[in-house]
């Protein structure tokens, strides 16, 4: 039996291969948790292009693999910009699997990167709506169900090193991730009496599918000769001498879901190989 056997975990933005959400879902499933794979399912507007979303087919493919670990796995399409859809996702987790114990706000936009003066109102709103408002909706919907159940729970946001430090061409992204720090600090105070912990996990750069796009973009912006040169430069500034792996973030999330972390709340935990020290 795993450390999370009998628990049910919902992970938003978990419907893409090689993404952080998939890695988190796989890790929690390996620890015995039942899983809800959730993503937007299809393109809905200019901000949710097919290259950056989890489709319904991809969601089900991931779910089928995870069922091989001997746990219950379902899928549920959800646009985190809609409180109604997020609440439906929370109900799905509780009703399909018997409870809602873990909620991971992983859905995010990290592919709208531009110089400050080129950022449009639509760009700004797209990032804030998903990364910050979507996380608020998830926290709210999960808390509603967990409080009604009366047995506590774990709510975890996938923030970023950008929750602690600023980065060029990432004004909206950095603002949204900084906002998550304030969100968990406030929510943890209110939800603590209900036995619900609320935390952020803050990874540095991780080369997922999205990360690969960021590598291409920032290697050009920073004037490196190649992506390989950019990656070498990145690794050299990290004490552990490598960028993060999806499994690094997934392991941190899994630990925060265990009884060992029952007294940890309102934290924004770095998973950065020492690159982000505060």
């Amino acid at each position: 039996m795993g450390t999370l056997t009998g628990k049910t975990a919902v992970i938003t933005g978990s419907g893409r291969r090689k993404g952080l959400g998939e890695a988190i879902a796989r890790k929690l499933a390996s620890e015995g948790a039942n899983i809800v794979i959730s993503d937007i399912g299809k393109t809905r507007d200019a901000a949710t292009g097919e290259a950056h979303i989890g489709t319904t087919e991809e969601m089900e493919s991931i779910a089928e693999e995870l069922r091989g670990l001997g746990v219950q796995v379902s899928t549920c399409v959800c646009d985190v910009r809609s409180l109604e859809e997020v609440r439906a996702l929370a109900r799905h987790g509780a009703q399909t699997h018997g409870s809602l114990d873990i909620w991971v706000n992983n859905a995010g936009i990290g592919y709208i990167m531009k110089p400050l003066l080129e950022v449009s109102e639509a760009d700004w709103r797209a990032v804030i709506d998903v990364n910050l408002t979507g996380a608020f909706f998830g926290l709210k919907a999960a808390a509603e169900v967990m409080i009604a159940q009366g047995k506590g729970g774990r709510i975890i946001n996938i923030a970023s090193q950008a929750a602690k430090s600023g980065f060029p061409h990432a004004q909206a992204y950095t603002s949204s991730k900084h906002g998550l720090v304030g969100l968990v600090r406030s929510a943890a105070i209110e939800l603590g009496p209900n036995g619900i912990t609320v935390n952020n996990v803050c990874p540095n750069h991780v080369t997922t599918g999205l990360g690969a796009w960021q590598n291409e973009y920032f290697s050009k912006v920073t004037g490196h000769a190649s992506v390989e040169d950019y990656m070498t430069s990145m690794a050299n500034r990290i004490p552990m001498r490598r960028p993060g792996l999806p499994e690094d973030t997934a392991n941190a999330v899994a630990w925060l879901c265990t009884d060992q972390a029952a007294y940890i709340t309102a934290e924004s935990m770095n998973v950065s190989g020492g690159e982000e020290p505060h």
Side-chain angles (χ1 to χ4, degrees), residues 248-268:
D248 296 321
T249 298
N251 289 339
V253 171
W255 181 74
L256 284 171
C257 295
T258 68
D259 291 342
Q260 293 179 353
Y263 199 57
I264 296 173
T265 194
E267 295 293 339
S268 294

Side-chain angles (χ1 to χ4, degrees), residues 207-275:
T207 300
T208 57
L210 170 60
W213 178 89
Q214 291 173 339
N215 292 342
E216 292 277 355
Y217 179 84
F218 283 107
S219 66
K220 295 175 182 176
V221 167
T222 55
H224 284 82
S226 65
V227 173
E228 291 74 19
D229 183 46
Y230 172 73
M231 294 299 292
T232 298
S233 175
M234 178 192 300
N236 286 340
R237 70 172 182 256
I238 300 170
M240 296 299 292
R241 291 297 186 266
R242 67 168 176 83
L245 302 173
E247 292 76 15
D248 296 321
T249 298
N251 289 339
V253 171
W255 181 74
L256 284 171
C257 295
T258 68
D259 291 342
Q260 293 179 353
Y263 199 57
I264 296 173
T265 194
E267 295 293 339
S268 294
M269 178 171 38
N270 295 326
V271 183
S272 70
E275 183 180 11

Side-chain angles (χ1 to χ4, degrees), residues 59-72:
M59 290 164 58
E60 184 52 44
S61 175
I62 292 170
E64 187 59 32
E65 282 189 14
L66 296 187
R67 292 182 187 115
L69 296 175
V71 297
Q72 299 175 24

Side-chain angles (χ1 to χ4, degrees), residues 80-113:
V80 299
R81 298 172 296 184
S82 164
L83 179 57
E84 180 180 353
E85 290 191 37
V86 177
R87 279 178 163 151
L89 174 60
R91 290 194 300 270
H92 168 90
Q95 294 170 3
T96 302
H97 302 289
S99 67
L100 176 60
D101 308 286
I102 299 162
W103 183 283
V104 183
N105 284 312
N106 173 73
I109 289 180
Y111 47 83
I112 297 180
M113 303 286 181

Side-chain angles (χ1 to χ4, degrees), residues 4-257:
L4 302 177
T5 298
K7 306 290 187 181
T8 297
V10 172
I11 304 100
T12 68
S14 56
R16 292 196 71 207
R17 292 287 184 186
K18 300 181 179 180
L20 280 181
E22 182 197 9
I24 293 165
R26 191 174 301 278
K27 176 62 178 178
L28 299 186
S30 75
E31 294 294 337
N34 299 318
I35 302 295
V36 179
I37 297 293
S38 182
D39 218 299
I40 196 169
K42 65 179 180 179
T43 298
R44 302 203 188 188
D45 50 36
T48 56
E50 191 165 328
H52 299 292
I53 63 168
T55 64
T56 52
E57 294 80 9
E58 199 168 11
M59 290 164 58
E60 184 52 44
S61 175
I62 292 170
E64 187 59 32
E65 282 189 14
L66 296 187
R67 292 182 187 115
L69 296 175
V71 297
Q72 299 175 24
V73 185
S74 64
T75 62
C76 186
V77 169
C78 177
D79 184 342
V80 299
R81 298 172 296 184
S82 164
L83 179 57
E84 180 180 353
E85 290 191 37
V86 177
R87 279 178 163 151
L89 174 60
R91 290 194 300 270
H92 168 90
Q95 294 170 3
T96 302
H97 302 289
S99 67
L100 176 60
D101 308 286
I102 299 162
W103 183 283
V104 183
N105 284 312
N106 173 73
I109 289 180
Y111 47 83
I112 297 180
M113 303 286 181
K114 297 178 180 179
L116 173 65
L117 298 183
E118 296 178 16
V119 176
S120 68
E121 180 179 351
D123 293 333
W124 176 269
R125 292 187 183 278
V127 176
I128 298 298
D129 284 352
V130 173
N131 294 8
L132 184 53
T133 305
F136 168 69
F137 287 166
L139 191 157
K140 180 180 176 71
E144 289 169 346
V145 173
M146 290 174 180
I147 290 171
Q149 291 175 161
K151 57 177 185 175
R154 302 283 196 270
I155 300 174
I156 301 166
N157 301 318
I158 304 306
S160 167
Q161 183 181 9
K164 308 285 188 75
S165 297
F167 293 89
H169 292 224
Q171 307 82 9
Y173 184 82
T174 301
S175 297
S176 69
K177 298 301 186 179
H178 271 65
L180 292 177
V181 175
L183 180 61
V184 303
R185 287 175 176 172
S186 295
I189 295 169
E190 294 192 50
L191 298 179
N194 301 104
I196 300 170
T197 65
V198 191
N199 293 290
N200 290 322
V201 171
C202 302
N204 61 347
H205 178 79
V206 181
T207 300
T208 57
L210 170 60
W213 178 89
Q214 291 173 339
N215 292 342
E216 292 277 355
Y217 179 84
F218 283 107
S219 66
K220 295 175 182 176
V221 167
T222 55
H224 284 82
S226 65
V227 173
E228 291 74 19
D229 183 46
Y230 172 73
M231 294 299 292
T232 298
S233 175
M234 178 192 300
N236 286 340
R237 70 172 182 256
I238 300 170
M240 296 299 292
R241 291 297 186 266
R242 67 168 176 83
L245 302 173
E247 292 76 15
D248 296 321
T249 298
N251 289 339
V253 171
W255 181 74
L256 284 171
C257 295

